[in-house]
Amino acid sequence: MRIVDGQVNVCCPGRNFVTLKLVTEDGVHGLGDATLNGRELSVASYLNDHVVPLLIGRDARRIEDTWQYLYKGAYWRRGPVTMAAIGAVDMALWDILGKTLDVPVYRLLGGASRDRVMVYAHANGRTLDDTVAAVAHHASLGYVAIRAQCGIPGIPHAYGIARGDQPYEPAEKNAPLETVWSTERYLDFVPSLFERLRRELGQDLHLLHDVHHRLTPIEAARLGKSLEPYGLFWMEDPVPAELQEAFRIIRHHTTTPVAVGEVFNSIFDCQQLIQEHLIDYIRATVTHAGGISHLRKIAALAELHHVRTGCHGATDLSPVAMAAALHFDLSVHNFGIQEHMPHSADTDRVFPHAYAFDAGYMHPGEAPGLGVDLDEALAASFPYERAYLPVNRKLDGTLHSW
Ligand code: CS2
Ligand code: MG
């Protein structure tokens, strides 16, 4: 079953997506998501110029060997561009295998370990009142786990808050938006949000919060400690994670569970975090961490150390990645939770899919392969638009972590 063609589709049905399509000599095609938010065209070039020519003529069934060939053969290992490209190839090959055998991908991964996949929603608001209302609204939609982000008094455009009446979308068209940050105001304010959420909405909901890499370890320890009375499901990305040993400081001071890894691209980014039990949830995902094959290795290491998965699932991961994540989530034993940020109606039309949401849970569906397609004619009506994630400065103008 030789690969005879590979095409890279770049489209913008509300936000940019890069999709790899591989075709076999039997006319079966598979899709992979290669979207790297704000740096999309670099992965498109990596695939078009350097990877697709190597795939022509290869046996599409040799998924692991192709992964090793692209990873080790490049000499230049790891990095988000390389790993997103390899991830897209890997997803496309699992998709092809499932279609060829006429089974959904999760069956090839050992079958379902659970009946359905718990997901968490995003709720955000400019004020405490707005945020409490947004969390209550998502609970009324059936979500059992909700991430709460709130505007901070005195901080314009706090992280994770929608602008105007639009749904929250991290990237901005043209130049990056410059936002302002104050650790002091944030640390003073955030506990009041969760105190109110618990008081008004009770103990049953799983509540999550994303710090977006903005604190130092001792500040993160203080935040975790101050949130302990509210029993969070997790505190996400409390500090930049390049320095894995820094998490020892957080761990030493607080029992608030820690989730990390949406920017990780390989098992080596989280090896120490997992082996030393410094985190509770690993958020690496199929696109940016080298596809289903590599993510399963991360999950297997995590399983040994009581760490569960919590895959990144923001809107910059396309429906192809969402489907792949759901097949992974359904099958892997140490699954924890899956992020779910619904895509725009245009995105859902460009990528028709078999996966579905029902009362706080999702399922990848029973279609063969990943169960997602790409409407290329429709995608062509949404051409690429340059967009960037915001940058973040302290009150005195110093560039801060984003
Ligand atoms: C966020 C994302 O979903 C999350 O947890 O951190 O919104 C993130 O900012 C984007 O996905 C970056 O591409
Ligand atoms: Mg995050």
Side-chain angles (χ1 to χ4, degrees), residues 37 147 159 170 210 212 236 262 283 312 314 316 339 389:
N37 202 2
R147 179 188 105 159
Y159 162 75
D210 190 352
H212 231 243
E236 176 185 338
E262 66 183 46
R283 281 181 48 71
H312 188 201
D316 50 288
E339 182 175 8
L389 287 162

Side-chain angles (χ1 to χ4, degrees), residues 218 221 225 246-255 278:
I218 200 67
K225 217 169 175 176
F247 283 74
R248 285 197 205 118
I249 297 172
I250 305 173
R251 232 21 182 185
H252 186 72
H253 291 283
T254 179
T255 55
L278 301 179

Side-chain angles (χ1 to χ4, degrees), residues 284-303:
T285 195
V286 280
T287 301
H288 304 123
I292 294 172
S293 299
H294 193 65
L295 197 59
R296 288 179 85 206
K297 293 181 186 180
I298 294 177
L301 176 66
E303 187 178 359

